[in-house]
Amino acid sequence: MVQQILLNNIEVPGLAGIEVYRKLGGYSSLEKALKSMTPDEVTGEVKLSGLRGRGGAGFPTGMKWSFLDKSTDKPRYFVCNFDESEPGTFKDRHLGQLNPHLLIEGMILGSYALGASASYIYIRGELFYVMRIIEKAIEEAYAHGFLGKNIAGSGYSLDLYCHPGGGAYICGEETALLESLEGKRGNPRLKPPFPAVVGLYGCPTVVNNVETIAALPWIINHGGNAYSAMGIGNSKGTKLISACGHINKPGVYEIELGLPVEEFIYSDQYCGGILNGNKLKAIVAGGSSVPILPASLILKTASGAPRLMSYESLAEGGFETGTMLGSGGFIVMDDTTCIVKNLLTFARFYHHESCGQCSPCREGTGWMEKILHRMEDGRGSMGDIDLLADISKHIEGTTICPLGDAAAWPVSSAIRHFRAEFEEHIKLRKCPYTK
Ligand SMILES: Cc1cc2nc3c(=O)[nH]c(=O)nc-3n(C[C@H](O)[C@H](O)[C@H](O)COP(=O)(O)O)c2cc1C
Ligand code: SF4
């Protein structure tokens, strides 16, 4: 059985309450850090652990913390990104709802390391029921002296707030999130300056994902070296994967990074194989924003090596033959899936969610949706395929934030790997999958 760091005890009844959480060893990392470690020592363990941000980009967490501007006497903020709106991704809500104190303990550790005295959990508006659970857990943490003034007699004080978003996907982008937290429309900011220098209310800020923060208590309790002993290459530790689509056992799994993709899909411990014994057609491995891969390239890399669930292995071959681990939203498609229709669903989403600041994203996402719509309807022409590819190329890398790339990559990769299916729609003048 894989070491469970995040989902350990997740099925214990009452885990969301502080009594049960404490009985199972909860808040011990906090007591350890506040009693015997300086903030820099906490950061040092996080650096040693090799933990990388679990929100999608995979940036090393300890390094991100070390960028925080400490040369100013402005307040510093630690912010948890609980927006989780990426299609196919549902790991953070699972963890936050069932084990809210793990997140709160991680928030306090991170805040202590960064020298923050006020911190925020920014939660997606639709997850109101999860927010209620987290708010209750925050109240309990205050009542037990883990939040507020002079935490556990250490002299360190922290206030923690939970703030709901309005339900816009773009508010998951960290600078849009900060704008929204400040009460403004969630438009991404131009970078630089990065939040580590100019973040919330113009002050140095670190934004981390729920899962990243929830790994901190284990790292402090067991040490960074113990965490980095798990995983493979520069993909250390464990990762939550939310698996959905045409599989026998959809759900949230904690895997050790480096697990073969084939084992993840077919073993009974995880996805349990493809629904109805159908054939695997394609996978979107890291949430809707990453390139789609056909079965032939997801089980093995182009060089024939087994493809592993790791940042490096999934990316092997670049975008020609690889993809990204992203947020860990693993969408499985069997051979009954229409790639064009699937892409249309994604395109509609990105068009709807574009904030509209950059013309390539604002105009391009709508244009791609329109073309995909007419193709799926049997009204496309052969020229539409290259037009789509061309639009996606002109969005990539030309926008303020990566939502533009996120909209473009699924399109360019689908054309790269499934061109024949687009052509079939056009030749037949209908979707071949629609009866
Ligand atoms: C359009 C868009 C949506 C995003 N949504 C989320 C999200 O819901 N949750 C998240 O943690 N990161 C999201 N990110 C990534 C964040 O900008 C940021 O990289 C992340 O919160 C940093 O935390 P980490 O280093 O712990 O991963 C999104 C990025 C983009 C461009
Ligand atoms: S890429 Fe799209 S979502 Fe991001 S800032 Fe530009 S218009 Fe807004």
Side-chain angles (χ1 to χ4, degrees):
M1 185 66 181
V2 178
Q3 168 82 56
Q4 300 284 282
I5 288 175
L6 303 161
L7 300 186
N8 191 24
N9 298 323
I10 203 87
E11 276 159 17
V12 173
L15 181 64
I18 199 162
E19 271 82 25
V20 174
Y21 183 71
R22 289 216 68 195
K23 242 186 230 154
L24 295 167
Y27 287 107
S28 56
S29 75
L30 186 62
E31 282 161 347
K32 176 178 174 182
L34 293 182
K35 272 199 190 114
S36 62
M37 295 171 80
T38 63
D40 283 349
E41 282 169 345
V42 174
T43 303
E45 288 304 322
V46 175
K47 276 190 186 156
L48 263 185
S49 73
L51 174 69
R52 292 169 66 168
R54 304 303 196 209
F59 195 81
T61 305
M63 193 189 295
K64 187 180 207 175
W65 289 12
S66 65
F67 293 154
L68 192 79
D69 184 5
K70 295 190 175 139
S71 66
T72 138
D73 51 13
K74 286 180 181 172
R76 300 170 198 159
Y77 295 106
F78 186 41
V79 177
C80 170
N81 189 341
F82 204 146
D83 196 57
E84 194 168 64
S85 315
E86 174 92 359
T89 310
F90 46 92
K91 63 185 178 75
D92 294 340
R93 73 196 70 176
H94 180 70
L95 189 60
Q97 152 182 17
L98 294 174
N99 199 352
H101 283 287
L102 185 68
L103 175 61
I104 292 169
E105 188 173 352
M107 281 302 292
I108 305 168
L109 284 172
S111 304
Y112 174 67
L114 298 167
S117 51
S119 294
Y120 296 86
I121 297 173
Y122 181 94
I123 188 162
R124 174 181 174 178
E126 289 96 327
L127 300 179
F128 200 70
Y129 64 103
V130 184
M131 188 175 103
R132 282 273 158 80
I133 294 170
I134 292 191
E135 280 185 335
K136 182 160 182 278
I138 290 178
E139 270 173 33
E140 288 180 331
Y142 270 105
H144 282 72
F146 294 123
L147 282 170
K149 297 229 174 313
N150 192 20
I151 297 172
S154 65
Y156 175 63
S157 304
L158 174 70
D159 285 314
L160 179 61
Y161 305 93
C162 193
H163 184 92
Y169 169 64
I170 193 56
C171 289
E173 192 282 332
E174 60 181 8
T175 60
L177 183 155
L178 295 176
E179 288 285 295
S180 172
L181 197 49
E182 290 177 5
K184 293 179 251 170
R185 185 188 158 105
N187 280 354
R189 297 174 181 168
L190 270 174
K191 293 191 257 187
F194 289 93
V197 181
V198 182
L200 187 62
Y201 307 121
C203 300
T205 302
V206 167
V207 180
N208 275 132
N209 172 257
V210 170
E211 184 187 346
T212 315
I213 296 167
L216 300 175
W218 196 96
I219 290 170
I220 296 309
N221 265 334
H222 298 80
N225 281 328
Y227 189 85
S228 73
M230 289 179 286
I232 189 166
N234 284 326
S235 304
K236 308 291 191 195
T238 67
K239 173 89 189 80
L240 293 182
I241 306 289
S242 56
C244 62
H246 299 133
I247 45 175
N248 287 315
K249 291 171 58 194
V252 177
Y253 298 99
E254 182 168 7
I255 59 153
E256 180 172 350
L257 286 164
L259 178 78
V261 173
E262 188 160 4
E263 188 178 336
F264 183 65
I265 297 173
Y266 290 101
S267 103
D268 277 344
Q269 196 183 341
Y270 301 109
C271 303
I274 309 297
L275 211 57
N276 303 321
N278 285 351
K279 257 178 76 184
L280 175 65
K281 178 171 183 176
I283 301 270
V284 173
S288 59
S289 304
V290 308
I292 186 170
L293 282 187
S296 55
L297 284 172
I298 190 68
L299 301 178
K300 293 207 179 341
T301 65
S303 63
R307 185 82 78 176
L308 309 179
M309 303 283 279
S310 76
Y311 293 98
E312 295 85 3
S313 179
L314 283 166
E316 196 183 316
F319 279 2
E320 276 307 305
T321 59
T323 181
M324 292 161 79
L325 179 62
S327 60
F330 198 83
I331 308 172
V332 181
M333 301 173 206
D334 72 7
D335 55 0
T336 65
T337 310
C338 172
I339 296 294
V340 175
K341 191 170 184 188
N342 170 69
L343 206 53
L344 171 60
T345 309
F346 285 175
R348 189 178 293 137
F349 171 78
Y350 288 111
H351 179 211
H352 183 259
E353 297 298 331
S354 166
C355 83
Q357 284 189 104
C358 328
S359 41
C361 172
R362 183 186 61 238
E363 303 301 326
T365 51
W367 198 0
M368 292 196 298
E369 183 195 342
K370 245 188 229 162
I371 297 172
L372 285 161
H373 194 223
R374 69 175 176 249
M375 278 183 175
E376 180 59 14
D377 262 9
R379 295 179 286 110
S381 64
M382 282 298 172
D384 279 344
I385 305 176
D386 287 336
L387 181 59
L388 257 186
D390 195 52
I391 298 168
S392 72
K393 202 167 88 201
H394 282 92
I395 298 176
E396 265 179 60
T398 61
T399 54
I400 294 174
C401 92
L403 186 140
D405 300 329
W409 291 338
V411 173
S412 51
S413 57
I415 296 175
R416 191 177 308 124
H417 300 300
F418 295 97
R419 192 175 186 106
E421 197 163 316
F422 288 81
E423 290 170 354
E424 210 184 344
H425 276 75
I426 293 156
K427 276 189 211 142
L428 289 176
R429 302 218 142 268
K430 71 187 238 341
C431 171
Y433 292 85
T434 311
K435 294 202 178 81

